[in-house]
Amino acid sequence: MADAAIARTNAAPGEPSTWERLKVNRNWLGLWFMLPAMAFLVLFLVYPLGKGLWMSFTDARIGREGRFVGLENFEWLIEDRDFVRALIFTIVFTFVASVVKFAIGLYLALLLNNNLPFKAFIRSVVLIPFIVPTVLSAVAFWWIFDTQFSVITWGLVKMGLLDRGSPINWMGDPFMAQCVVIFANIWRGIPFIAITLLAGLQTVSPSLYEAATLDGATKWQNFRYVTYPLLTPIIAVVMTFSVLFTFTDFQLIWAMTRGGPVNATHLMATLSYQRGILGGNLGEGAAIAISMVPFLLAAILFSWFGLQRRKWQQGENND
């Protein structure tokens, strides 16, 4: 207030003071409006990330301050078979689930974009897997694929395709358990992609399809040269979020298998939790979590450079 008073005193008669000019300056006001958001991001994003990065270079344990050990945690992880297995399965899990979710989600979006009877009801039904709590859906899948009470096994026995005394060990076999958790993740992720792509399809003008049809374009050519180019930015954003959510999935895996059997379904997130929180080795758990960051940044940069390249092809400026 003192500075404002001095500024008003030094201003020439009839000219606005510095304080009065600041009050109507859009950049100055914008800075003040951004401060709460910046403080929120620093408190809940930058600080935890910095704290985790620091802990990954220490031998911190629960109840004990850690000492700086440099890259020792990361060097140890390279030789850890469980970590290498979790890293490989996380990449396979993310790739397979993301590709299948995109293929089915795009098909559903194109289907729901047509004039169907009970279209609003069908769209609501498609959203059900997305709104069901993760733990509830995990329990449902645990029951569906239970070794003794699996409804799939029961159906195969009733159809005569499986002997009653030789049930399928869905959750006890490492490979089968990996397939089950991938299937569950796909089931939960399809609605997000389908509804988001459907929203993008709603923005495509029908006149473009009419013009293409008059020029003799087939349905595939309509999709290839009209729908796909206009939908590319939305696809890039949706797939980026899908990859990030899938790569960092924790709740579904932990509720269904807790990383078992024999650590076959551990993702990097669940292994980090097991080592850091349950095992008490905070430094080791933080190192596993920090090891996920380069993969997440790669996914974001891949999407960003793809969008920039498309802008360059369309003659737009990079921003």
Side-chain angles (χ1 to χ4, degrees), residues 108 122-138 141 183-192 194-195 252:
L108 283 176
I122 296 174
R123 289 177 180 178
S124 303
V125 172
V126 170
L127 274 176
I128 288 178
F130 194 62
I131 62 177
V132 172
T134 304
V135 174
L136 183 59
S137 58
F141 276 105
F183 177 79
N185 181 274
I186 292 172
W187 182 81
R188 281 191 55 80
I190 286 175
F192 168 71
I195 296 300
L252 187 65

Side-chain angles (χ1 to χ4, degrees), residues 92-240:
V92 173
F93 177 84
T94 303
F95 178 77
V96 175
S98 299
V99 169
V100 176
K101 281 188 287 189
F102 172 72
I104 300 177
L106 179 61
Y107 174 76
L108 283 176
L110 293 172
L111 189 66
L112 295 176
N113 195 42
N114 297 320
N115 292 322
L116 298 174
F118 309 107
K119 186 165 60 176
F121 174 75
I122 296 174
R123 289 177 180 178
S124 303
V125 172
V126 170
L127 274 176
I128 288 178
F130 194 62
I131 62 177
V132 172
T134 304
V135 174
L136 183 59
S137 58
V139 171
F141 276 105
W142 181 83
W143 171 73
I144 291 173
F145 294 102
D146 182 74
T147 301
Q148 294 183 342
F149 306 105
S150 169
V151 65
I152 297 178
T153 303
W154 177 83
L156 293 174
V157 170
K158 289 296 182 182
M159 288 187 291
L161 301 175
L162 186 69
D163 293 334
R164 183 180 297 276
S166 56
I168 302 175
N169 192 12
W170 297 100
M171 305 297 284
D173 180 76
F175 177 73
M176 296 296 293
Q178 290 175 342
C179 294
V180 168
V181 295
I182 291 175
F183 177 79
N185 181 274
I186 292 172
W187 182 81
R188 281 191 55 80
I190 286 175
F192 168 71
I193 295 179
I195 296 300
T196 308
L197 293 181
L198 177 61
L201 289 173
Q202 299 287 309
T203 64
V204 181
S205 172
S207 61
L208 296 176
Y209 295 113
E210 294 172 2
T213 303
L214 290 175
D215 290 339
T218 62
K219 288 187 176 180
W220 164 249
Q221 289 171 328
N222 273 336
F223 173 80
R224 173 66 182 83
Y225 299 106
V226 178
T227 305
Y228 177 71
L230 296 176
L231 209 59
T232 299
I234 298 176
I235 291 175
V237 175
V238 167
M239 289 310 297
T240 300

Side-chain angles (χ1 to χ4, degrees), residues 1 3-5 7-8 16-33:
M1 295 299 294
D3 294 340
R8 282 195 294 270
S17 65
T18 304
W19 176 246
E20 289 173 341
R21 287 199 296 270
L22 287 177
K23 286 195 297 184
V24 295
N25 186 287
R26 295 171 62 90
N27 295 330
W28 179 258
L29 291 176
L31 175 64
W32 281 103
F33 281 122

